[in-house]
Amino acid sequence: QVQLVESGGGLVQPGGSLRLSCAASGIMFRINAMGWYRQGPGKQRELVADITRGGNTSYAVSVKGRFTLSRDNAKNTVYLQMNTLKPEDTAVYYCNAEVITTSFVRRDYWGQGTQVTVSS
C-alpha cells in the first residue's frame, strides 16, 4: 500500500506565499508522474501542476509564473512553491502520484488534501 502525506497548507494573505509538500511512502516499484490538484468551493477538481520522473513540469494557466513544482526522487517527495497567492487560489489541494506497483500495475494514489485559504 502506498500513502501520500501532505503538509504546508494554511491561511495566508493575498500576495503571500506557501509551500506544500507531499511525501510518498510504501512498497512500490516506481513513481512516475506526481502532481497537485485543487478543488475550490463549488468547483470541480482541477490540475494545478504536475512533474514527470525526469523533472518535466506543466502548469495550469492560472498559476503559471506564480507556482513552482519540484521533485526529489530520492525522497519520493514533491514540493509546490506558491507565490503571489490570490483569493481565487483558495481550495483544498490534493497530491497525486502515478505509481507502478511491485506487480507492475499502474495505479493512481491521492493524498488526504490540505486546505489553502488566501484571505485578508
Side-chain angles (χ1 to χ4, degrees):
Q1 187 71 10
V2 174
Q3 289 188 324
L4 302 181
V5 178
E6 302 147 335
S7 61
L11 173 64
V12 64
Q13 293 187 342
S17 298
L18 281 175
R19 188 192 195 209
L20 304 183
S21 299
C22 172
S25 63
I27 299 174
M28 68 197 92
F29 176 69
R30 186 180 66 227
I31 300 176
N32 288 342
M34 297 185 75
W36 287 92
Y37 289 71
R38 68 185 181 186
Q39 188 165 15
K43 298 181 180 179
Q44 290 188 331
R45 189 174 296 191
E46 62 176 357
L47 176 65
V48 176
D50 61 13
I51 185 167
T52 66
R53 185 170 181 81
N56 293 319
T57 54
S58 62
Y59 298 92
V61 172
S62 59
V63 307
K64 206 165 188 178
R66 300 188 297 121
F67 291 11
T68 302
L69 184 61
S70 60
R71 176 171 180 166
D72 185 335
N73 287 334
K75 295 181 179 180
N76 288 333
T77 300
V78 289
Y79 307 95
L80 183 66
Q81 178 66 44
M82 305 186 294
N83 297 329
T84 320
L85 282 160
K86 304 175 180 180
E88 50 263 43
D89 294 317
T90 295
V92 178
Y93 284 69
Y94 297 91
C95 179
N96 171 267
E98 179 186 303
V99 171
I100 306 299
T101 70
T102 54
S103 301
F104 304 105
V105 174
R106 177 192 172 282
R107 285 188 180 171
D108 276 329
Y109 288 90
W110 293 89
Q112 78 282 1
T114 185
Q115 177 70 47
V116 171
T117 302
V118 185
S119 175
S120 54

